[in-house]
């Protein structure tokens, strides 16, 4: 019987080696080691044997069983490796061929700059105010201390809108009308920043636009001084441009501020960027906004965004900013 | 305003380096826009005499010129000009000279002939505009004399300064000198001309009448006799040219010189041509006309102030331009000089209405100095005597109308410091104001300040505060930090808008900001109501209408890209649109819209964007209602709604609109009133607990009429049982055996309870109630 067991074992070795698929191997496993297998049959015959013979035979049976399990496991491992090889080969992908059919999307240059500036001002303790782009004369001019025949009106070429009385409705020439609206709608203290689109009636060229963007900052509180204006612009300059930047103020004229100044930013290489205008809010403007200039004082400063946005990326013609060409838009 | 260093220095009591003057101008708010160093680059240019002129053997357009450059030897020059004759004195740039434009003169051959230098035109020397030929010198100088010496050119600095509207004083050399002197640490003095007079008194022949004293504050005339009108001297011409004025004749040049120097516009008339020697300032009659010096016939209204003569005939537009009839000419012998002060607003209005600006009007409209008139008249008479041999008649005619009041302004020391953040003493404020003519008298801690006559702009305490700040120096005001405790933040609305922007980029779309102006017909081309609010003064007709929708701009964008074979573009924009004003208001109904354009996609792509947008903004009950919507494909369009209220449109662009824009692919489009969405209600944000127990899924397909909204069916299912966790439309089928007007909508419904695993019986009960709910609400039939 021992021989029989050996024969079964040898036979099993041969059959296991001949199997080509895992599925067949599972079949064979059942046949070689299952209830109806030859080994199990041999086991059933053991009852007739002596104890010694049984022990001997049992050991041989166990050894054969272990051995066959070993053939099966080894063969299974071989076959699985082959099958995996085949599967992997069949599933091969060249990932260098992948191209997304969409990209991360694009915020317009102007929006990027507006959000960045808003964040800087929010960090400095400001809230963001907004107002209409079509304005009445009061908010855009008269309330801001532009007299009817004030020569300063010539400084701002205005688009007039076919509404209301002649010259009553305009496309806002600056973001300052929102100052008026903020003051009308809220008692001091005011710490507001106003980004927005503005309009000037002058033909666009590489360095000027008829439709462009500004941001301005308005503070009205007790004890606000020109020193606070300078200090705040300095803080802003460092927060937005970087610690290596500084600023200077030069006397200027705007009807709605007095004293007024232009402010320039000095780059780390010593060159100057003429950025914007600023000043102490004119007492007449405070009064027009319903604020007592003897009790409160304030400052405002503002500047155009388009050149700032364009120069960051080396865009030399500002008119590109209105481009709807995806070759432009998808670069930013 | 242009100014010369040498001219300024005539009014400064000590020399100031150009760099220091330029820096002071910057600090004072009259910044230097351009600086030109005059007389530089002329070092190697000498006076030479033309000895011989010969044709060039190999060229037509140049000739050979032999000149004597001082050593008596002929020196051959090739020259492209032919305007000189043998014996003429001409400027020669000798070898090695660096010209004002930076070019260096070298010995070289031109078509085989040596040229040993260059003969120069006025423009090449930057001594004038003339480039018609070589400048032939009218000087008494020997050959070899440096040109600068021969012409008496001193090295000088020309600045062009920016002058703000609140600085009428900065429109003259004297005003600039007065303002810059204290900053530069030197003293200032006005010219002090002496005038000798003879003959009969001015008022014997000249008469003045101010008919409209509100428009003419002062009117002075003087009479000058025995005038010889020739050319003005070179020094005067050089200064006029440098400051941007063209020399005309001696009298006109003197008039301009005085205006530039003292800021007082003035007008010399030929006395013989002024009827009655009378000048009258009166309002024009409607339709009255005058031919001005520039030979243009001007028509007036009663708002305009004219100068008329004794016959009531107009001889000039007050403060703007004289008439042609009384112009000074070579035959003029007697001059009637007008020096006046006109009301700035009136000058500004007339000048603007006529589109006529002059050096005079620019000064009057800012506010001239009514008290400098006497000095300016003296200066005119002195120069006219020196240059034209004029004899000034004794006295002047001097009439006054209404002049601005100059009551003292109380300037509070504490107020100055409170506004500037400084700690200036009252005495220091006085020291700052005195040199610029703001005279102050102490009143307790404060000052009463009288504004000088040359500062028409200054009328209130704050104006004086600005002067103090300017002369104290902005850079000397210490910086301060804002200390008020406060929290900066974006509003919810602003945060939500940003969140929408992030969503749009997350969808892979590109933001664009087209101009908000439309061309006439552009709305109609997009299938929209053609009426938009018009601009009264557009730059071009193509940009004359305010957009009422973002569609035209984005369609133009799609078209622009399509014609460049850039297909499949995905664009979005957030921007304002302008609808007619609501009843009783003047300003338009201005709304903030969001639009998304998906080229190469059909309508469902836009609906998907709407759905994720609604999800991001947590809009309550977002839906679409199929509808025929202007601009959209009539059978592939819908209104986007929130809780039943329309908030926008969604679908596909009308094929006719695509055709009109030469777009060959389908275009999906969404436009919503973003402002309304941002301001509108939000879905409840409360947490919805998740079950720990397994869920059960059932699929339900209904046959539903085409008119029934799939979203409504979905909502009915969602509300049909407490056990419903989610509902998803996973299939739509049209076709046999369904009737043509009906389709099958298949939903996957997930059921679960928070506290238990659902039994088969519970699932079956829920299923029945969902079926019943849909069948009864939507005339639907469950499909087997």
């Amino acid at each position: 019987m021992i021989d029989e067991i050996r024969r079964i074992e040898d036979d099993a070795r041969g059959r296991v080696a001949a199997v080509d698929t895992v599925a067949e191997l599972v079949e064979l496993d059942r046949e070689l080691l299952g209830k109806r297998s030859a080994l199990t049959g041999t086991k059933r015959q053991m009852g007739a044997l002596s104890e010694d013979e049984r022990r001997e035979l049992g050991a041989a049976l166990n050894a054969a069983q272990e051995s066959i399990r070993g053939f099966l496991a080894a063969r299974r491992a071989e076959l699985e490796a082959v099958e995996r090889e085949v599967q992997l080969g069949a599933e091969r992908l060249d990932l260098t061929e992948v191209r997304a059919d969409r990209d991360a999307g694009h915020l317009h240059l102007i929006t990027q700059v507006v959000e960045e500036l808003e964040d800087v001002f929010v960090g400095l303790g400001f809230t963001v105010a907004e107002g209409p782009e079509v304005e009445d004369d009061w908010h855009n001019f008269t309330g801001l201390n532009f007299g009817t025949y004030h020569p300063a009106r010539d400084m701002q070429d205005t688009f007039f809108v076919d509404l209301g009385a002649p010259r009553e409705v305009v496309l806002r020439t600056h973001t300052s009308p929102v100052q008026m609206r903020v003051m009308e709608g809220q008692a001091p203290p005011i710490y507001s920043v106003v980004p927005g689109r503005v309009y000037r009636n002058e033909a666009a060229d590489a360095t000027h636009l008829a439709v462009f963007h500004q941001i301005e900052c308005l503070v009205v509180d007790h004890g606000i001084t020109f020193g606070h204006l300078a200090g705040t612009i300095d803080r802003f300059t460092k927060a937005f441009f970087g610690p290596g930047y500084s600023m200077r103020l030069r006397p200027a004229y705007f009807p709605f501020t007095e004293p007024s100044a232009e402010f320039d930013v000095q780059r780390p290489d010593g060159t100057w960027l003429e950025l914007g205008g600023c000043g102490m809010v004119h007492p007449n403007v405070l009064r027009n906004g319903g604020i007592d200039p003897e009790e409160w004082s304030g400052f405002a400063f503002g500047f155009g965004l388009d050149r700032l946005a364009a120069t960051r990326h080396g865009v030399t013609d500002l008119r590109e900013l209105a481009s709807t060409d995806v070759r432009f838009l998808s670069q930013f | 305003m242009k100014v010369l260093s040498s001219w300024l220095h005539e009014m400064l009591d000590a020399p100031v380096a150009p760099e220091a003057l330029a820096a002071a101008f910057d600090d004072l708010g009259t910044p230097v826009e351009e600086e030109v160093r005059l007389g530089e680059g002329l070092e190697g240019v000498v006076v030479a005499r033309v000895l011989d002129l010969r044709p060039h053997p190999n060229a037509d357009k140049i000739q050979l010129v032999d000149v004597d450059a001082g050593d008596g030897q002929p020196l051959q020059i090739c020259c492209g000009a032919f305007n000189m004759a043998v014996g003429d004195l001409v400027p020669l740039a000798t070898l090695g000279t660096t010209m004002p434009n930076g070019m260096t003169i070298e010995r070289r051959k031109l078509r085989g002939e040596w040229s040993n230098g260059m003969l120069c035109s006025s423009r090449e020397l930057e001594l004038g505009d003339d480039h018609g030929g070589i400048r032939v010198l009218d000087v008494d100088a020997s050959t070899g004399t440096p040109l600068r010496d021969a012409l008496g050119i001193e090295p000088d600095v020309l600045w062009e300064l920016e002058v703000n509207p609140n600085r009428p004083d900065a429109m003259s050399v004297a005003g600039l000198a007065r303002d810059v002197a204290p900053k530069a640490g030197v003293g200032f003095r006005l010219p002090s001309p002496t005038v000798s007079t003879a003959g009969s008194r001015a008022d014997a022949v000249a008469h003045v009448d101010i008919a409209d004293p509100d428009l003419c504050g002062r009117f002075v005339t003087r009479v000058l006799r025995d005038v010889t009108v020739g050319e003005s001297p070179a020094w005067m011409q050089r200064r006029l040219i440098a400051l941007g004025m063209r020399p005309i004749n001696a009298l006109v040049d003197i008039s301009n010189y005085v205006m530039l120097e003292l800021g007082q516009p003035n007008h010399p008339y030929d006395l013989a041509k002024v009827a009655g020697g009378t000048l009258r300032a009166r309002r024009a009659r409607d339709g009255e006309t005058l031919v001005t010096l520039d030979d243009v016939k001007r028509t007036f209204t009663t708002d305009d102030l004219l100068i008329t003569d004794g016959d009531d005939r107009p001889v000039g537009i007050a403060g703007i331009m004289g008439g042609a009839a009384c112009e000074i000419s070579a035959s003029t012998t007697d001059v009637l000089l007008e020096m006046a002060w006109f009301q700035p607003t009136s000058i500004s209005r007339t000048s603007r209405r006529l589109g006529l600006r002059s050096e005079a009007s620019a000064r009057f409209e800012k506010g001239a100095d009514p008290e400098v008139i006497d000095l300016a008249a003296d200066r005119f008479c002195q120069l006219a005597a020196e240059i034209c041999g004029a004899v000034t008649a004794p006295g002047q005619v001097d009439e006054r109308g209404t002049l601005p009041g100059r009551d003292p302004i109380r300037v509070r020391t504490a107020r100055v410091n409170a506004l500037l953040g400084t700690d200036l003493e009252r005495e220091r404020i006085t020291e700052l104001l005195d040199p610029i003519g703001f005279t102050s008298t102490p009143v307790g801690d404060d000052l009463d300040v009288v504004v000088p006559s040359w500062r028409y702009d200054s009328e209130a305490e704050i104006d004086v505060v600005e002067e103090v700040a300017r002369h104290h120096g902005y850079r000397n005001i210490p910086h301060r930090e804002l200390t008020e405790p406060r929290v900066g933040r974006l509003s919810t609305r602003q945060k939500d808008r940003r969140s929408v922007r992030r969503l749009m980029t997350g969808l892979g779309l590109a933001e664009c900001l087209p101009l908000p102006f439309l061309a006439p017909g552009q709305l109609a081309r997009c299938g929209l109501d053609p009426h938009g609010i018009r601009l009264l003064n557009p730059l071009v007709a193509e940009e004359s209408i305010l957009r009422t929708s973002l569609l035209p701009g984005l369609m133009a964008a799609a078209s622009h890209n399509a014609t460049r074979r850039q297909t499949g573009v995905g664009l979005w924009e957030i921007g304002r649109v302008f609808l007619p004003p609501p009843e009783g208001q003047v300003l338009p109904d201005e709304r903030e819209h969001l639009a998304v354009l998906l080229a190469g996609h059909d309508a469902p792509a836009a609906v998907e964007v709407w759905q994720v947008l609604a999800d991001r903004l947590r809009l309550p009950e977002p839906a679409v209602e199929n509808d025929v919507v202007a601009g959209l494909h009539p059978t592939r369009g819908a209104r986007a709604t929130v809780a039943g209220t329309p908030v926008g449109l969604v679908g596909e662009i009308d094929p006719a609109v695509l055709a009109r824009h030469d777009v060959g692919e389908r275009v999906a489009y969404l436009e919503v009133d973003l402002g309304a969405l941002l301001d509108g209600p939000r879905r409840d944000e409360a947490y919805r607990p998740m079950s720990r127990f397994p869920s059960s899924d059932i699929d339900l397909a209904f046959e539903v009429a085409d008119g029934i909204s799939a979203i409504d069916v979905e909502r009915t299912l969602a509300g049909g049982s407490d056990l419903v966790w989610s509902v998803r439309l996973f299939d739509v089928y049209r076709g046999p055996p369904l009737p043509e007007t009906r389709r099958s909508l298949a939903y996957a419904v997930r059921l679960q309870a928070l506290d238990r695993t659902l039994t088969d019986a519970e699932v079956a009960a829920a299923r029945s109630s969902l079926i019943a709910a849909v069948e009864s609400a939507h005339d639907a039939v469950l499909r087997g």
Side-chain angles (χ1 to χ4, degrees):
Chain A
M1 283 183 80
I2 298 282
D3 292 344
E4 174 66 6
I5 290 167
R6 281 215 183 92
R7 196 190 55 73
I8 292 171
E9 190 184 325
D10 286 346
D11 180 52
R13 179 187 289 122
R15 292 186 62 193
V16 165
V19 165
D20 283 335
T21 69
V22 172
E24 286 173 69
L25 196 69
V26 169
E27 247 349 89
L28 189 59
D29 186 322
R30 199 171 298 130
E31 189 185 329
L32 293 178
L33 297 173
K35 283 178 187 159
R36 289 191 203 130
S37 66
L39 275 185
T40 311
T42 312
K43 210 176 197 172
R44 242 179 253 123
Q45 295 168 24
M46 281 194 346
L49 300 178
S50 71
E51 192 161 329
D52 283 351
E53 284 172 330
R54 268 210 312 264
R55 193 178 301 116
E56 190 186 353
L57 195 64
L61 266 173
N62 282 341
Q65 232 166 2
E66 277 312 302
S67 168
I68 292 169
R69 270 199 195 98
F71 304 153
L72 286 164
R75 185 61 184 155
R76 186 180 181 108
E78 281 172 27
L79 290 178
E80 280 180 350
V82 168
E83 289 193 0
R84 179 176 155 77
E85 202 63 24
V86 169
Q87 180 196 1
L88 296 189
E91 291 181 353
R92 176 177 299 280
L93 285 181
D94 180 351
L95 299 187
T96 69
E97 295 163 0
V98 179
R99 289 292 178 277
D101 63 357
R102 65 173 49 152
D103 55 24
H106 307 279
L107 284 182
H108 194 277
L109 276 182
I110 293 291
T111 307
Q112 293 182 29
V113 172
V114 167
E115 289 196 354
E116 204 178 322
L117 288 165
E118 284 175 349
D119 291 345
V120 167
F121 281 108
V122 164
L124 293 174
F126 287 76
T127 53
V128 179
E130 299 166 28
E133 292 177 12
V134 179
E135 265 297 3
D136 50 36
D137 175 89
W138 170 256
H139 290 95
N140 195 75
F141 288 124
T142 306
L144 290 170
N145 205 33
F146 286 76
T148 312
Y149 296 101
H150 200 292
R153 288 201 183 205
D154 286 348
M155 289 160 64
Q156 303 192 347
D157 296 317
T158 308
F159 282 113
F160 294 100
V161 177
D162 187 15
L163 291 173
R167 294 185 156 233
E168 183 186 0
V169 179
V170 303
L171 296 183
R172 66 177 177 194
T173 57
H174 45 181
T175 44
S176 305
V178 185
Q179 286 187 20
M180 290 300 300
R181 292 186 177 274
V182 169
M183 288 190 283
E184 286 166 355
Q186 170 192 350
I190 293 169
Y191 292 83
S192 287
V193 65
V194 186
R197 182 177 262 184
V198 300
Y199 303 82
R200 298 275 171 92
N201 191 353
E202 51 196 358
D205 59 30
T207 56
H208 298 87
L209 296 177
V211 180
F212 56 104
H213 301 80
Q214 288 184 337
I215 190 163
E216 71 181 66
C217 165
L218 172 69
V219 169
V220 181
D221 204 343
H222 289 295
I224 296 296
T225 68
F226 196 87
H228 290 111
L229 167 64
T232 305
I233 292 180
D234 197 32
R235 284 264 296 215
F236 158 75
T237 300
K238 289 177 168 55
F240 182 71
F241 292 99
Y245 286 75
S246 59
M247 50 71 75
R248 72 174 172 201
L249 300 178
R250 288 178 294 124
Y253 171 77
F254 307 104
F256 40 99
T257 52
E258 189 161 16
S260 300
E262 309 259 10
F263 68 97
D264 307 334
V265 170
Q266 189 170 33
R267 303 182 184 95
D269 67 3
T271 58
W272 291 94
L273 167 70
E274 289 185 16
L275 195 58
C278 63
M280 298 300 290
V281 181
H282 197 287
N284 292 350
V285 174
L286 289 173
R287 229 172 265 127
N288 290 339
I291 294 173
D292 178 1
E294 289 292 317
E295 183 183 354
W296 305 93
S297 56
F299 67 72
F301 67 92
F303 51 93
L305 304 183
D306 301 72
R307 198 159 304 148
L308 212 53
T311 49
R312 278 185 166 192
H313 297 276
V315 176
T316 49
D317 188 336
L318 291 184
R319 288 169 294 191
E320 298 273 27
L321 293 174
S323 168
T324 54
D325 194 308
V326 287
R327 289 172 296 176
F328 177 77
L329 300 172
S330 60
Q331 290 183 42
F332 308 105
Chain B
M1 174 76 191
K2 291 182 177 178
V3 67
L4 284 166
S5 175
S6 61
W7 207 341
L8 284 168
H9 272 89
E10 287 180 6
M11 298 175 223
L12 302 178
D13 65 6
V16 184
E19 295 73 20
L21 276 179
F25 282 131
D26 279 347
D27 282 353
L28 288 167
T30 40
V32 174
E33 290 187 320
E34 200 188 345
E35 177 179 295
V36 182
R37 299 281 176 135
L38 298 175
E40 289 188 359
L42 298 180
E43 287 81 2
V45 183
V46 299
V47 175
R49 184 177 302 281
V50 176
L51 300 177
D52 188 26
L53 295 165
R54 284 170 281 127
H56 189 292
N58 308 316
D60 293 343
K61 294 192 173 160
I62 45 181
Q63 62 174 335
L64 299 178
V65 188
D66 283 344
V67 296
D68 168 10
D71 57 5
Q73 301 300 312
L75 186 67
Q76 177 174 295
I77 311 288
C78 296
C79 182
F82 293 83
N83 65 312
M84 56 283 193
V86 171
D88 279 351
L89 291 179
V90 289
L92 169 71
T94 54
L95 296 178
T97 300
T98 301
M99 299 297 289
N101 71 1
M103 184 178 82
T104 300
I105 305 300
E106 288 163 355
R107 182 168 193 259
R108 59 185 183 131
K109 261 187 179 170
L110 279 168
R111 297 268 182 126
E113 292 289 337
W114 282 108
S115 186
N116 299 294
M118 186 175 89
L119 305 183
C120 309
S121 72
S122 289
R123 194 197 291 172
E124 283 161 346
L125 296 167
E126 293 190 357
L127 291 176
D129 269 348
D130 189 8
H131 195 53
I134 298 307
R135 175 161 174 156
V136 177
L137 299 168
D138 181 20
V139 293
D140 184 17
S142 54
T143 55
T145 308
L147 180 71
R148 239 168 33 194
D149 297 345
L151 292 178
I153 298 172
E154 297 291 325
D156 208 340
V157 186
L158 175 69
W159 287 290
E160 172 145 25
L161 305 178
E162 183 188 333
V163 175
N164 284 310
N166 66 332
R167 290 293 309 283
D169 62 310
M171 295 297 282
S172 71
V173 179
L176 287 167
R178 181 195 292 115
D179 200 52
V180 83
K183 204 68 159 181
V186 297
F188 164 75
R189 51 167 187 247
L190 279 167
S192 46
T194 49
V195 182
S196 50
T197 57
S200 59
R201 292 185 55 82
D203 54 13
V205 290
H207 311 281
V208 167
D209 175 26
I210 300 177
D212 288 296
D214 54 328
L215 301 188
C216 177
R218 193 174 175 201
F219 202 128
V220 168
T221 60
R222 292 207 186 171
V223 172
L224 299 93
R225 300 193 178 90
D226 302 330
V227 173
T228 310
V229 182
E231 276 197 21
S232 59
W235 63 266
M236 179 175 276
Q237 293 200 13
R238 272 202 309 279
R239 283 190 168 177
L240 292 175
I241 290 168
L243 269 65
M245 302 203 80
R246 201 160 47 90
I248 309 284
N249 61 47
L251 267 179
V252 174
D253 292 356
I254 291 167
S255 164
N256 286 330
Y257 190 89
V258 169
M259 176 183 69
L260 293 171
E261 183 172 76
L262 297 171
Q264 175 61 47
N266 57 84
H267 195 81
Y269 298 89
D270 187 332
L271 180 58
K273 298 177 189 165
V274 178
T278 297
L279 293 177
R280 185 160 187 257
R282 68 154 170 86
R283 279 188 163 81
R285 291 184 265 276
D286 248 332
E288 206 166 1
T289 60
L290 170 68
V291 177
T292 42
L293 279 173
D294 53 0
D295 277 329
V296 178
K297 186 174 175 183
R298 314 272 176 181
T299 308
F300 304 100
T301 74
T302 53
D303 284 340
D304 304 320
L305 189 71
L306 295 180
I307 307 299
T308 58
D309 65 9
D311 294 339
D312 201 33
R313 194 173 50 113
V315 295
I317 315 170
I320 300 178
M321 192 173 277
C326 305
E327 204 178 339
I328 297 290
S329 69
S331 60
T332 301
T333 58
D334 293 356
V335 169
L336 182 63
L337 174 66
E338 167 198 314
M339 295 250 177
W341 187 94
F342 300 111
Q343 211 279 325
T345 304
S346 158
I347 298 296
S348 165
R349 289 171 71 170
T350 298
S351 149
R352 217 182 291 201
R353 194 181 57 71
L354 295 174
L356 178 60
R357 308 206 54 164
S358 63
E359 292 284 337
S361 72
R363 285 168 175 78
F364 280 126
E365 72 178 25
K366 281 192 168 73
D369 176 1
E371 306 307 333
V372 82
I373 283 176
D374 307 87
L375 172 63
D378 281 352
R379 183 73 167 139
F380 186 102
C381 295
Q382 175 214 15
L383 290 169
E386 285 172 15
I387 295 166
C388 309
V391 178
T392 303
Q396 63 183 16
V397 183
D398 185 355
E399 296 293 330
R400 286 189 183 239
T402 312
L403 284 170
R406 287 169 58 204
D407 293 337
I409 298 168
R410 177 65 51 87
V411 175
R412 296 161 292 174
T413 303
R415 177 75 172 163
V416 171
N417 289 315
L419 283 172
L420 299 182
T422 48
D423 202 11
L424 299 173
E425 311 258 328
R426 190 196 67 192
E427 291 71 19
R428 178 67 188 139
I429 294 173
T430 301
E431 284 167 19
L432 291 169
L433 292 175
D434 261 356
I436 53 170
F438 288 72
T439 53
S440 48
T441 314
V443 182
D445 290 338
D446 303 328
L447 294 166
D448 269 354
V449 174
V450 176
V451 170
S453 56
W454 54 85
R455 290 302 298 269
Y456 177 77
D457 61 291
S458 277
E459 54 184 17
E461 182 184 32
I462 192 68
D463 301 321
V464 181
V465 172
E466 181 168 61
E467 295 307 307
V468 173
R470 242 171 23 89
H471 279 273
H472 177 60
Y474 283 10
R475 68 177 80 234
N476 298 324
I477 296 175
H479 290 194
R480 292 200 189 177
E481 296 287 332
L482 296 171
T483 50
E484 168 81 4
R486 62 196 190 277
V487 177
R489 61 180 179 80
L490 293 178
S491 66
T492 305
R493 196 178 194 283
Q494 289 157 349
K495 284 184 210 155
D496 283 349
R497 184 195 286 126
R498 284 195 178 191
S499 153
V500 169
R501 288 184 189 139
R502 293 302 173 282
L503 175 65
M504 292 302 132
T505 56
L507 294 171
L509 308 174
E511 185 185 17
C512 60
L513 297 175
L515 290 184
F517 302 139
L518 305 179
Q522 202 176 342
L523 285 161
R525 264 205 311 288
C526 290
L528 302 174
D529 180 337
H531 300 290
I533 297 168
R534 288 187 318 117
L535 293 181
L536 291 172
N537 55 340
L539 283 164
V540 288
E542 287 69 36
E543 297 172 4
S544 61
I545 293 175
L546 295 180
R547 63 187 177 185
T548 56
S549 158
L550 300 183
L551 177 58
L554 286 182
M555 249 343 276
S559 176
H560 169 96
N561 283 294
T563 55
R564 286 157 183 79
R565 299 190 319 285
Q566 290 152 197
T567 54
V569 299
L571 301 174
W572 62 281
E573 180 185 6
I574 292 176
R576 310 282 178 89
V577 301
F578 308 90
L579 307 176
E583 191 66 30
Q585 289 188 28
V586 174
L587 293 184
D589 180 6
E590 186 171 326
R591 290 165 178 270
E592 183 175 29
H593 277 196
L594 161 70
V596 180
L597 178 142
L598 306 164
H601 287 86
D602 51 16
V607 179
E608 286 176 22
V609 174
W610 162 237
Q611 286 169 349
V612 292
L613 172 70
D615 196 34
R616 172 58 55 89
L617 289 176
R618 305 185 321 280
L619 301 178
E621 295 178 49
V624 295
E625 285 173 13
N626 294 324
D627 201 351
V628 176
V629 183
L632 295 187
H633 190 305
T635 57
R636 289 185 169 201
R639 296 197 187 281
T641 64
V642 171
T645 307
V647 293
L649 50 95
V650 58
E652 211 171 293
I653 300 293
D654 190 324
V657 173
L658 294 179
R660 286 196 284 267
H661 287 83
D662 292 323
V663 173
E665 54 187 343
R666 289 184 180 275
V667 174
Y669 186 75
L670 166 70
E671 179 163 348
V672 292
D673 186 338
L674 182 64
L677 298 183
L678 295 176
D679 291 336
R682 293 290 188 272
R683 220 163 50 215
D684 186 11
E685 255 191 306
Y687 162 69
R688 189 180 175 197
M690 295 162 294
S691 177
R692 290 184 292 113
F693 298 92
S695 58
S696 304
D697 290 343
I698 55 172
D699 290 349
L700 297 172
F702 296 95
E703 182 192 315
V704 188
D706 272 339
I708 304 294
S709 154
I711 294 168
D712 288 347
V713 177
E714 187 174 319
R715 290 230 168 86
T716 304
L717 287 169
S721 161
D722 292 343
L723 297 178
V724 175
W725 172 260
S726 66
V727 179
R728 182 171 60 87
L729 175 67
F730 69 90
D731 188 46
V732 179
Y733 172 74
R734 284 185 174 81
L738 300 177
E740 268 197 5
T741 57
R742 294 172 77 82
R743 85 279 206 205
S744 161
L745 301 173
Y747 295 89
V749 182
R750 177 159 290 184
L751 305 170
Q752 66 180 26
L754 276 179
D755 54 352
R756 62 190 188 281
T757 305
L758 297 178
T759 64
D760 290 351
E762 282 176 308
V763 171
R767 185 172 185 276
S768 306
S769 67
L770 292 180
I771 293 166
V774 170
E775 287 188 337
S776 67
H778 304 295
D779 185 25
V781 180
L782 183 73
R783 301 190 69 215

